Amino acid sequence: MFPKPQAALSPNTYAYESEPMVKATGFREYDARWLFGKEINLMGVQALGMGLGVLIRELGQKPEIVTGHDFRGYSASIKYALISGLMASGCKVHDIGLAVTPMAYFAQFDLDVPCVAMVTASHNDNGWTGVKMGANRPLTFGPDEMTRLKEIVLNAKFDNKAGGSYQFHENFPARYIADLTNRPKLKRRIKAVVACGNGTAGAFAPKVLEAIGCEVIPLDCELDHTFPKYNPNPEDMEMLHAIRDAVLQHEADVGLGFDGDGDRCGVVDNTGEEIFADKVGVMLARHLSSLQEDAQFVVDVKSTGLFITDPVLQKQGATTTYWKTGHSYMKRRTNELGALAGFEKSGHFFFNAPYGRGYDDGLVSALAVCDMLDRNPTKSMAELKDALPKTWSSPTMSPHCADETKYGVVEQVVKHFEAAKAKGDKVAGQSIRDLVTVNGVRVTVEDGSWGLVRASSNKPELVVVVESPVSEQRMRDMFAAMDGVLRTHSEVGEYNQKI
């Protein structure tokens, strides 16, 4: 028998070293995230591995799984605790060592293994850990699987079996890099700032981009799990501004920034201006739909309205579906529809054949950006961006809201705007034209300006995004309107960044 996990234990006690601790809120909508030591201990991670082994069998999959870990001071120990649980449940474990998350997804295909459990806290601050899991490549778990896993683990419904085994795959990154770089070299000489925030991607991104013919200017590519400069998150303005400064200093053609586990890529143009990932998505959609007729795309509800209104996409016959934010939701929907690509505002991009295998990989996204520049040899990144219809967009802004209360707050906000629409009330001085409630609420008013409020799936936060095709002032008006509603809820705290 293995003990039933406790919701909380005090460190430096007998119980902490003798019982598993797993806080329930760590099971998110599509992956798992905990503060290591405060919300989960190593025995708790072991319990997670045993529970995952049970779920894999319930899903009808062969008990064989790939695992790797990101570059944090504690990630290797967490991975080995997870492996011990997986092996106890009878799984054959393929360990690829230190890796970016998409390398683990690639290993599922390259090693012909059905399941994956990647130990990573992605772009979260130090102290966080987590696991991204899947049992049906290229997909990762959604709410149904995560809810069932939570039930198994918290109730200790383990069913350990003999037969577990372990195999370490030496030098596996070389296979991943070879797969990405087995392609024609760029014809255009592209000078690229490659920024990794001292995260895991620093070990791989410069090599890949150099191999396809880029002149690489590395920025914070030395691995350092203290993250001495800033958190490796290409949505954060601090990282984007560091890339901007390097692009201007070196007169680079483009800046490419990778998050902590390498499944997202942020872009800065040759003038040093950041291009939010949804706009990069529109640019890539233009590029890809010029090469393939009737191209279909999936984008998340945080993304720009240009996917529908852009005249070039319309002329090229491209169609776009808006869907729930979240890498698992987007990956699944892109796969279900057989779309050419999926684009999420956070920077998770999903390319199906012939460009990718359906999973999110920041390096595949970077290669797509380089290919777009290569096919437009007379145009700069800024000129390609400026060819889009002008809109004013905010970055992703996240006010603090506890995991226990955030979904309730969002539910009240949705009801508020539904009632406002029914009564004909104005938002930011205009009537509501459209509400999308597939994931929180996206409020669009008469002039096309819109605002979104949803719950973050992996942090104790809400997510707020606003955009206007009219003016910066209208964008700010929409933010004031959305924030005004949030300020009526005492549970909503300070923002991480604001316009």
Side-chain angles (χ1 to χ4, degrees):
M1 293 288 289
F2 194 84
K4 187 174 178 179
Q6 302 296 310
L9 293 169
S10 297
N12 198 24
T13 62
Y14 178 85
Y16 189 88
E17 294 297 323
S18 309
E19 299 177 60
M21 174 177 68
V22 183
K23 189 178 179 184
T25 53
F27 294 92
R28 310 296 172 116
E29 287 180 52
Y30 44 81
D31 56 23
R33 302 275 173 98
W34 290 276
L35 280 165
F36 180 49
K38 295 180 180 178
E39 299 178 347
I40 195 167
N41 62 4
L42 288 175
M43 277 190 78
V45 177
Q46 190 178 5
L48 179 68
M50 292 191 291
L52 180 55
V54 172
L55 180 59
I56 286 168
R57 283 193 165 86
E58 282 188 5
L59 294 170
Q61 283 291 8
K62 182 170 65 170
E64 197 167 343
I65 191 164
V66 167
T67 189
H69 69 282
D70 69 4
F71 192 78
R72 291 175 187 254
Y74 43 84
S75 289
S77 62
I78 287 166
K79 182 184 71 176
Y80 290 123
L82 183 72
I83 287 170
S84 72
L86 288 165
M87 289 175 62
S89 74
C91 285
K92 179 177 182 179
V93 178
H94 296 265
D95 184 0
I96 61 171
L98 180 68
V100 285
T101 294
M103 193 186 298
Y105 300 153
F106 164 72
Q108 289 178 271
F109 290 86
D110 192 57
L111 302 175
D112 193 21
V113 174
C115 306
V116 67
M118 175 67 192
V119 173
T120 178
S122 187
H123 63 278
N124 282 27
D125 297 333
N126 263 325
W128 285 91
T129 190
V131 188
K132 292 181 177 177
M133 295 162 278
N136 181 20
R137 65 190 182 212
L139 308 181
T140 41
F141 285 171
D144 292 345
E145 295 94 342
M146 290 305 299
T147 299
R148 177 60 183 146
L149 180 62
K150 177 180 177 179
E151 183 181 66
I152 294 167
V153 173
L154 296 185
N155 293 296
K157 293 182 178 178
F158 308 123
D159 183 21
N160 289 348
K161 298 178 183 297
S165 64
Y166 173 84
Q167 181 177 354
F168 183 80
H169 293 269
E170 194 173 2
N171 297 325
F172 189 81
R175 293 162 73 162
Y176 168 70
I177 291 169
D179 181 72
L180 289 170
T181 57
N182 182 22
R183 43 156 285 159
K185 287 206 172 192
L186 300 169
K187 297 183 185 70
R188 178 178 179 177
R189 187 66 172 169
I190 295 171
K191 185 189 284 191
V193 170
V194 176
C196 298
N198 303 110
T200 322
F204 314 111
K207 292 178 186 176
V208 168
L209 288 157
E210 280 177 355
I212 67 158
C214 285
E215 180 186 345
V216 169
I217 310 295
L219 178 66
D220 302 323
C221 291
E222 310 79 20
L223 299 190
D224 185 341
H225 51 60
T226 66
F227 303 148
K229 304 284 186 66
Y230 45 76
N231 233 34
N233 180 6
E235 275 195 291
D236 282 358
M237 300 311 290
E238 193 173 1
M239 183 173 189
L240 289 167
H241 289 163
I243 299 172
R244 172 198 66 195
D245 294 344
V247 165
L248 294 174
Q249 179 188 345
H250 295 280
E251 297 182 346
D253 298 300
V254 67
L256 301 167
F258 299 91
D259 72 333
D261 68 332
D263 56 13
R264 294 187 295 131
C265 177
V267 179
V268 171
D269 73 19
N270 53 295
T271 71
E273 186 173 325
E274 67 274 2
I275 313 176
F276 294 130
D278 55 345
K279 298 287 181 67
V280 177
V282 177
M283 294 162 70
L284 290 172
R286 281 181 161 194
H287 168 60
L288 296 173
S289 61
S290 73
L291 303 174
Q292 187 161 322
E293 285 185 5
D294 302 322
Q296 187 176 6
F297 302 104
V298 178
V299 301
D300 76 319
V301 292
K302 289 162 60 180
S303 292
T304 177
L306 286 177
F307 282 101
I308 299 294
T309 61
D310 178 45
V312 173
L313 288 179
Q314 291 176 345
K315 182 182 177 184
Q316 291 175 178
T319 56
T320 300
T321 300
Y322 281 85
W323 195 242
K324 299 177 184 179
T325 292
H327 65 86
S328 278
Y329 294 128
M330 287 289 296
K331 201 163 0 194
R332 191 173 297 265
R333 192 63 174 163
T334 304
N335 183 269
E336 286 170 352
L337 296 178
L340 188 59
F343 302 111
E344 190 180 12
K345 187 178 170 72
S346 66
H348 288 278
F349 291 174
F350 315 88
F351 294 92
N352 278 323
Y355 306 101
R357 295 182 178 87
Y359 53 78
D360 36 341
D361 185 336
L363 277 164
V364 173
S365 303
L367 296 182
V369 169
C370 291
D371 285 337
M372 177 176 65
L373 283 169
D374 199 40
R375 282 185 61 85
N376 292 275
T378 63
K379 292 184 179 175
S380 68
M381 196 73 194
E383 287 169 334
L384 290 172
K385 175 202 70 186
D386 291 343
L388 299 179
K390 177 72 174 170
T391 69
W392 288 262
S393 308
S394 75
T396 299
M397 302 173 286
S398 299
H400 185 270
C401 193
D403 287 322
E404 294 82 356
T405 59
K406 65 188 182 186
Y407 291 103
V409 169
V410 170
E411 188 178 340
Q412 292 302 310
V413 173
V414 172
K415 286 179 180 174
H416 169 88
F417 285 111
E418 285 177 336
K421 188 172 191 290
K423 291 188 290 186
D425 291 348
K426 287 184 164 48
V427 174
Q430 296 189 7
S431 298
I432 297 173
R433 188 180 81 194
D434 184 46
L435 289 180
V436 176
T437 56
V438 70
N439 186 202
V441 61
R442 176 171 168 142
V443 185
T444 305
V445 297
E446 289 170 312
D447 66 4
S449 302
W450 60 268
L452 170 79
V453 174
R454 58 178 287 275
S456 169
S457 299
N458 50 31
K459 292 177 88 172
E461 295 174 343
L462 302 181
V463 172
V464 180
V465 182
V466 292
E467 181 184 55
S468 175
V470 179
S471 66
E472 180 181 346
Q473 185 56 51
R474 287 296 296 148
M475 173 188 74
R476 293 182 179 278
D477 292 346
M478 282 304 297
F479 175 66
M482 305 305 284
D483 185 55
V485 175
L486 290 180
R487 290 302 127 202
T488 66
H489 296 273
S490 60
E491 306 95 326
V492 180
E494 292 301 310
Y495 286 81
N496 65 335
Q497 57 184 359
K498 288 166 76 171
I499 53 173

